[in-house]
Structures are given as structure tokens and as C-alpha cells.
Amino acid sequence: MTMPYLTVVIPVYNEAGNLYKLYDRLMPVLDGLGKPFEVIFTNDGSKDDSFKILKSFYDQRPTQIRVIDFNGNFGQHMAIMAGFSKMRGEVAITLDADLQNPPEEIPNLLAAFEQGHDYVEGVRQNRQDTSFRRYASRLNNKIRHFLTKVRLEDQGSMLRAYSKRIVELMVQSNEPSTYIPALAYSFSINPISIPVHHSAREVGESKYTLFKLLRLNFDLMTGFSTMPLQIFTMVGMGVSVLSVLLVVVLILRRIFIGPEVEGVFTLFAIMYLLIGILLMGLGIVGEYVGRIYQDVRPRPLYVVRETLE
Ligand code: UDP
Ligand code: MG
């Protein structure tokens, strides 16, 4: 059996309405490459018929299609990681199952890879998501730029190509709640961004709630930088210096003018501000402690029920 050159990894969570169309568009593109390939679908605990449909794809092309069936929902990034851990090709391409990433872009990603780039980022042109998502992304890009060394033009784009070396490093990292595009970036030697098309989701809705998006971004910030902790230390130091000044002023005032009786609400304002800062800091520390906790537990990151291959 010849080893595949390209491994396509696709996470699937309740995408029954999109899978046939995806298959019909993806396979001709891959067949047209003229190189051996494999497609690894990970069924991330779908509650609809997704697995049945994937199974039928496997039955049609058992040498080219592999299906990993998770025993529950472990998230998009874990689904991709599971696919990566089984990669046999020289280059991996990830793609969403909802057809927001056109499979027709695969040859363009491969072309960039073949020019010697070990990491190819597909930057979505005129992104077809809600305007809230687009504004949030823009703000988020600025924060990420400031906090981490990760320089992604379009962090949410999953249409990307990775060299085998990068994929191996990512699998070795074995990180819970990780962010694949950023992790890959930190291992890449010669990354490049190329424009790709983006389509609106046709069937079903985004699996990302506001809460899940926030979580993902906390993971990104705390997983790739300790700057939030450092900023918090500096804010703490600043507040301490100001407090000392305030104490000195109040003591002098008491000696020379007399005790202060009013200003209760000023005191409240100051207290609330300090409590707010304190709670935020506690939360930030908690994020890191949570990551450490997840990391030291020897639990598997995902559980596979069955693999068709
Ligand atoms: N997905 C997954 N597990 C999840 C959530 C999503 O495998 O818990 C898959 C989903 O089936 C799709 C891709 O990840 O193939 C992107 O999800 P979605 O389209 O909901 O995200 P968005 O495009 O809104 O960022
Ligand atoms: Mg989508």
C-alpha cells in the first residue's frame, strides 16, 4: 500500500446536513491532485446521523477514508488532534465540515506548502459570519497581538496546511484545551498566509456559543503567554504605591486639619474598584491554576469509541 502524501483532517459535530455536499465537493478536488491522499473524519460525539453518513463514506472508499468516532464531545481542537495523531501523509490540511472553508482551496494551500512553507494559513476573504463575530475577532486580534507572540492574521480560520514535523510536535505536546493554529505557529519555521474564500454556513448553526468562544480565547491567551499575570503584578504594585500615598495624605490631614467624617461614598468607590481588581486577578490566577490542574491529571484528552480504517 502506498503511503498518502496528503492527510485531510475534518472535525464533525452534528453536521449531517452538510456531509454529503462536503463529500461531493471534496473528493473530486482530492482525486484531481494526482497524489495519494487520506481523509480522516473525527466524529466528535454527534447526536445526529453524522457517524452513519461517515461510515457510508468509509464503505465507499475504505483505503482513502478513515473515521475516528469519539465517545462524547471533546471539542473541535481535540477532534483535529485525534486526526493528527493518525496522520500518515507528509502534509496535513484541516477543514471545517460545514463548507465554510471551500475544499477547492486545497490545491492553493498545497502549492504554498510545496514552495517550502511548513505552515500555510488561509486568511478568509470577506468573512461570512455574524457582524458580532467579526467585530469581536478584530478586538481579539489586538489583545492577542499585545499579549502573545502568536502572529496569526486570521486566528479563527481552520483552513490551514501543516508539515508533518509541525503535526508531530503538536501531538507530542499533548496539551489539553489547546489552540491548534497558535500551537502550530509556535513550531513553524517559515509560515505564510494566503487568501482563501469563505462561505456562509448553509445548514445548521455555529457550534460556538458566546461562552465557548470566550473560553477558547482565554485558553489562547493563557496558553501562549504569562503576560496577564505580569500585568496583574504591575497593576498590584501601582495600586499599592497609590494606597501608601493616600495613607500619608490622610495621616497628615488628621494631624493638621482634623479627622475626616464625610466621604463615605468616595471610600465605597475606592473599595469597589480595589475589589474588582482583586477579583479579576483571582480569576486570572485561576485560569492558570485550571490549566495546571488539567495538565497534571493523567486523564486521556479524548476517548475513542471506534476507528474505521
Ligand atoms: N466542531 C467539532 N466539535 C465541536 C464544535 C465544532 O468537531 O464541539 C466542528 C464542526 O462540526 C465544524 C467545525 O468544528 O466542522 C467548526 O465548527 P463551527 O462551524 O460550529 O464553528 P464556526 O465556523 O462558527 O467558527
Ligand atoms: Mg462554521
Side-chain angles (χ1 to χ4, degrees):
M1 205 166 87
T2 50
M3 280 306 237
Y5 167 71
L6 167 66
T7 301
V8 178
V9 176
I10 306 179
V12 177
Y13 181 51
N14 295 343
E15 302 284 7
N18 290 312
L19 286 176
Y20 287 116
K21 240 191 216 168
L22 172 69
Y23 186 84
D24 289 343
R25 277 174 62 185
L26 178 66
M27 292 332 251
V29 173
L30 296 179
D31 287 331
L33 291 174
K35 289 189 174 139
F37 64 86
E38 62 179 353
V39 183
I40 306 179
F41 289 99
T42 306
N43 175 35
D44 187 16
S46 301
K47 293 175 190 73
D48 63 3
D49 283 341
S50 295
F51 183 64
K52 248 196 235 157
I53 299 172
L54 293 177
K55 208 170 171 160
S56 74
F57 295 164
Y58 169 74
D59 290 335
Q60 285 174 53
R61 295 185 179 226
T63 53
Q64 288 166 324
I65 290 181
R66 306 161 77 189
V67 182
I68 301 170
D69 188 27
F70 273 2
N71 183 26
N73 179 244
F74 293 89
Q76 180 185 2
H77 292 256
M78 283 305 128
I80 296 174
M81 273 303 179
F84 279 166
S85 71
K86 298 206 156 268
M87 169 184 187
R88 288 182 304 187
E90 293 307 313
V91 50
I93 287 183
T94 54
L95 187 78
D96 285 349
D98 60 359
L99 286 169
Q100 287 198 273
N101 304 139
E104 293 76 19
E105 297 280 4
I106 289 177
N108 302 333
L109 290 175
L110 274 184
F113 171 78
E114 277 153 15
Q115 277 162 17
H117 297 284
D118 58 346
Y119 181 24
V120 186
E121 169 182 40
V123 178
R124 296 170 291 184
Q125 306 297 301
N126 51 49
R127 189 171 158 195
Q128 302 294 317
D129 276 319
T130 58
S131 50
F132 171 74
R133 285 279 293 266
R134 278 176 287 141
Y135 286 121
S137 284
R138 219 172 292 163
L139 174 70
N140 191 62
N141 266 339
K142 293 211 175 95
I143 301 177
R144 191 199 61 242
H145 231 85
F146 177 67
L147 290 181
T148 72
K149 289 201 189 69
V150 178
R151 297 286 169 265
L152 298 173
E153 267 182 56
D154 185 2
Q155 71 169 50
S157 167
M158 277 298 158
L159 189 53
R160 287 161 196 273
Y162 310 93
S163 71
K164 191 186 188 75
R165 182 189 142 272
I166 291 183
V167 169
E168 279 169 356
L169 287 168
M170 286 197 279
V171 172
Q172 268 173 35
S173 306
N174 206 35
E175 276 189 24
S177 56
T178 194
Y179 199 83
I180 287 171
L183 191 62
Y185 180 87
S186 67
F187 296 139
S188 64
I189 297 169
N190 189 10
I192 191 175
S193 302
I194 64 166
V196 293
H197 283 286
H198 191 240
S199 320
R201 199 180 231 287
E202 284 184 18
V203 182
E205 47 190 43
S206 173
K207 309 296 182 297
Y208 282 96
T209 56
L210 181 59
F211 179 72
K212 261 193 172 179
L213 279 175
L214 277 175
R215 276 270 22 113
L216 201 65
N217 281 298
F218 277 137
D219 284 340
L220 179 59
M221 305 302 172
T222 57
F224 291 88
S225 161
T226 51
M227 211 199 271
L229 287 174
Q230 288 149 6
I231 292 175
F232 189 63
T233 311
M234 286 190 279
V235 170
M237 275 164 34
V239 169
S240 305
V241 169
L242 288 178
S243 311
V244 169
L245 289 181
L246 186 65
V247 168
V248 170
V249 168
L250 288 180
I251 289 176
L252 290 179
R253 190 197 146 94
R254 199 181 170 97
I255 294 172
F256 294 109
I257 305 178
E260 189 183 346
V261 278
E262 282 176 57
V264 183
F265 287 102
T266 318
L267 186 66
F268 267 97
I270 296 174
M271 288 306 289
Y272 284 151
L273 177 74
L274 294 185
I275 292 174
I277 294 175
L278 214 65
L279 287 179
M280 200 174 79
L282 209 62
I284 293 175
V285 174
E287 289 288 327
Y288 286 94
V289 174
R291 291 191 75 84
I292 298 171
Y293 172 59
Q294 282 187 330
D295 250 323
V296 297
R297 272 186 321 200
R299 288 187 202 168
L301 301 182
Y302 49 82
V303 182
V304 175
R305 192 194 324 236
E306 182 186 0
T307 309
L308 308 178
E309 55 188 351

